[in-house]
Amino acid sequence: MFSIKEINQNEFELCYALDSDTICLWTKNQWQSEFNKRGIKVVAISLKKKIIGIYVVQTIIDEAQINYFSIKQKFRRKGYGSQLM
C-alpha cells in the first residue's frame, strides 16, 4: 500500500537522497533553497514507509509550474507516477 504526503523543509535531505538515486538534478544546497521559495509544495509517494517518488510544484497566482518530478527506477511504469500526480 502506498501513501502520498507533503514534505516539509525539515525533510529536504529525503528529497536530496531520492534525487541522488534517480536523475541527480539538484545539489543539497539547491534542495534546501527550493523550500525557501514562495509558493513551493513538495509531495512524496511512499511505499512501505520509504519514499519512491517526489514532485515539486511552484504556484504563482493562478498558475503552477512543475520544477521537479522523479520516481525511483524500479518503481517506474507501475502507475506510481500517475498516482503521485
Side-chain angles (χ1 to χ4, degrees):
M1 188 68 166
F2 67 89
S3 63
I4 296 176
K5 70 169 192 158
E6 190 168 348
I7 301 278
N8 65 41
Q9 187 169 6
N10 298 331
E11 301 173 297
F12 82 91
E13 289 194 23
L14 296 172
C15 300
Y16 173 70
L18 180 116
D19 185 31
S20 296
D21 288 342
T22 56
I23 59 177
C24 298
L25 186 63
W26 294 338
T27 65
K28 191 180 277 192
N29 287 338
Q30 287 172 310
W31 272 106
Q32 196 169 20
S33 69
E34 190 70 11
F35 280 93
N36 294 326
K37 293 179 182 175
R38 292 186 111 177
I40 287 292
K41 185 174 186 176
V42 182
V43 179
I45 184 167
S46 301
L47 189 63
K48 297 180 183 177
K49 297 184 181 183
K50 293 189 180 185
I51 293 178
I52 62 167
I54 292 175
Y55 77 76
V56 178
V57 66
Q58 185 172 18
T59 310
I60 302 169
I61 304 174
D62 63 344
E63 295 183 9
Q65 174 177 309
I66 297 172
N67 293 345
Y68 182 89
F69 189 96
S70 185
I71 301 288
K72 284 189 174 185
Q73 183 68 36
K74 73 178 194 175
F75 297 101
R76 293 180 187 167
R77 314 269 278 147
K78 297 182 180 178
Y80 293 111
S82 295
Q83 292 296 324
L84 182 57
M85 286 305 289

